[in-house]
Amino acid sequence: MQNALTSLNEKQREAVAALHGPVLVLAGAGSGKTRVLTHRLAHLIGTKTATPQQLLAVTFTNKAAAEMRARVSALVGEAAARQMALGTFHGLGVRLLRAQHKYAPRSANFTIVDTTDSERLIREACTSLNISPQQVTPRNIRSMISKAKSTQTSPEAFAAEVQSPIAEAAARVYPLYEQLLAQNDGYDFDDLIIAPLQLLAEHEAVRRRYQQQWRWLSVDEYQDTNPPQDALLKLLLGPEQNLCAVGDDYQAIYSWRGAQVDHILQFETQFPGCTTIYLTQNYRSTSPILEAANQIIAVNEDQKHKELWTDEKTGEAVQVLAVTSDRAEASSVCTGVQDAIEAGGAAGECAILYRTNAQSRAFEEELMLHNIPYQIVGGIRFYDRAEIKDAMAILHLTVNPNSALALERITKAMIVGVGLKTIARIKLYAREHKMSLIEALSDDAVLTSRLQASYAPLTRALAEAQSQLKDSPMGATMEQLLKGSGYLASLKDVERSEERLENIAELINVAAGYTDAASFIEDVALMSDIDQTTDAKDRVLCMTLHAAKGLEFEQVWLVGCEEGLLPHRNSIDRPAELEEERRLLYVGMTRAKRQLTLSHASTRTLHGESLPQAPSRFLADLPESVTQTDLAGEATAAALDDTITGGLWDLEGRDVGEIVSHPQFGPGVIIQISGSLITCVFEGHGVKTLDASMAA
């Protein structure tokens, strides 16, 4: 076992050595928070303070959990690491619900109902209640129910609070949706936190068991916890209060999905006398990038102030790219990416980050035009492709033969002549006769001999797989299941059959890395977009700022820094949300290791109309000492045609976003006008605020 305190800086060692009681580690971007968390786990074992079985550590994505496990394994050995409970919040919920299923409302083999299947159930409920999709979409209803669950609002309480026709429709659907989940022996994503929370709250013996088992709790990205997740941690926390919360309030950007930054801001109030350690030495970015990010975030008021620093004092200035249009922005950025690649860089070292997914289209077109390999993160996920969901539905039935959602899906894909009415009859018969759905498929009282024959390859393949699951490698089992059921043969005559079969082959390759079906199904169900960006393909990643959190790149182009985009128009009049928009920009800036470019356009096509855009107010906070403005491409040409001379300070008819010329500072872009004060970004001179009333 390695010494967990070696190769750490002073503050990191201090955090790793704080083994008892509540500990708050405020870890700035790139300061080594994962290193601290994993070394602390290793130090608990190395000092014999704790055994591996007594440690619980949770984070938010499979990718982060896998990295945590790999690092701990390198420190304490794989055998010890396997004995720790390391995973995601949702994975923890699954673990508790399977282990304590006798206290829970579902079986031990429950199905995890993903977003797509959740909307299917809601659509089914809407049909039963005669609620038209034109009245309210299943997606909107799912969102409202999800918010209700995240605040632990029951269907009855939700119905008592409705104040709109849409909410009224959601209130009618909510209880029926819960019934459908129960009939499918399934939990949706929200239930994976809410159900174990209720289980622990209602059963003291179970709660005490886990408090005694996991005596040291660690949580990564604590600023991203929502109230149920925070409450779940508190219920698991024993009397010693050994909770280590690692996070950064500067990177709290998920309030829209229920996360509350107050959890980290109020930690010291909740745990008086706790140990608090600040990690501010950055190992990722150059000094100019950090100086710019520090000054951007310093404007926020509701935060734990910290300033990132680095030993690496050199580095290129942060570029502010001003262009005339969103098309010019895409062209200039993609030219910059191409130049970086031609200079010897890798495509995978470059990222284009934007506030909204809608901004990706122009960049995708330009990247294709430049023949640059790329990936749009947030597009159709591999595991959301029809053939992958079909294959996973078949595997689901080996673990949970009562999954009506899985049976409905594979029936639609493979079985001719069976509709929803027949499926409903199968479900009713199985419930009344206390048999599984798969058993009901072979019952003469339910299906005709012709339909039984249609299902026969599937039922035989499922039976064979059931007998082999414990002894055969998962990859081989998956392949045999898909062949035996006839699913692979059914793909040979469909559109894009070759591509679909290649995707199935890749799924089988992934399955080969697992030893049991339940773990494979669980990991796929809890997979996020970012979990799928870890392949070795060399391509530019294009993603939203929210999706970029936790990643890092040599070169980052952060685009669309305009009022209405960043900050987003929905946040401009709300101080707390405006602070979160500033944190979002900070997160994007601190993804960059060596080069950072912030771009904005003076016009952007929105809803088919070219509209004037004002540069983001955040740009005015960039320090002049580390920034350089580039009036690129089209913007430079336009400046030659529309330079304001002589009457620069005559503001009549002028507006934010216009290109101007100053006798001393040269070309620039107006970013703010307040009375007679005009603020511009000048090429080579940064941000200047001048009094127009005093200018000649």
Side-chain angles (χ1 to χ4, degrees), residues 257-278:
R257 69 181 187 193
Q260 291 190 2
V261 68
D262 278 353
H263 292 157
I264 198 167
L265 294 178
Q266 300 301 321
F267 188 91
E268 291 160 303
T269 302
Q270 288 237 336
F271 297 97
C274 74
T275 301
T276 301
I277 297 133
Y278 285 76

Side-chain angles (χ1 to χ4, degrees), residues 406-426:
L407 181 61
E408 287 170 13
R409 179 167 195 98
I410 202 59
T411 295
K412 183 178 179 181
M414 289 177 53
I415 311 298
V416 178
V418 176
L420 292 178
K421 288 184 179 179
T422 303
I423 293 291
R425 187 168 71 248
I426 295 169

Side-chain angles (χ1 to χ4, degrees), residues 493-542:
D493 298 320
V494 300
E495 186 181 358
R496 298 185 295 107
S497 62
E498 185 176 348
E499 177 187 339
R500 294 185 183 210
L501 288 167
E502 286 175 356
N503 288 337
I504 291 294
E506 177 60 22
L507 181 68
I508 292 170
N509 288 339
V510 176
Y514 288 80
T515 56
D516 66 281
S519 296
F520 181 40
I521 291 169
E522 181 181 319
D523 279 0
V524 169
L526 300 180
M527 193 79 68
S528 70
D529 287 340
I530 294 303
D531 291 327
Q532 298 184 65
T533 64
T534 56
D535 58 51
K537 293 181 181 177
D538 185 25
R539 51 193 175 183
V540 177
L541 288 184
C542 306

Side-chain angles (χ1 to χ4, degrees), residues 25 139 200 299 318 336 370 405 454 524 539 672 682 685 687:
V25 180
R139 176 174 294 183
L200 292 173
V299 177
V318 173
H370 285 74
L405 283 168
S454 297
V524 169
R539 51 193 175 183
Q672 187 174 357
F682 291 104
H685 296 278
V687 178

Side-chain angles (χ1 to χ4, degrees), residues 11 13 37 159 176 195 222 241 257 273 286 291 316 319 350 364 452 456 464 487 491-492 497 503 520 541 551 649 692:
K11 285 296 181 181
R13 281 195 298 272
L37 194 153
L176 182 52
Y222 185 58
Q241 294 195 314
R257 69 181 187 193
T286 62
E291 189 175 336
E316 296 183 26
Q319 300 292 313
C350 302
E364 186 166 13
Q452 287 183 50
E464 290 173 7
Y487 184 71
L491 288 180
K492 291 179 180 177
S497 62
N503 288 337
F520 181 40
L541 288 184
L551 303 179
W649 311 121

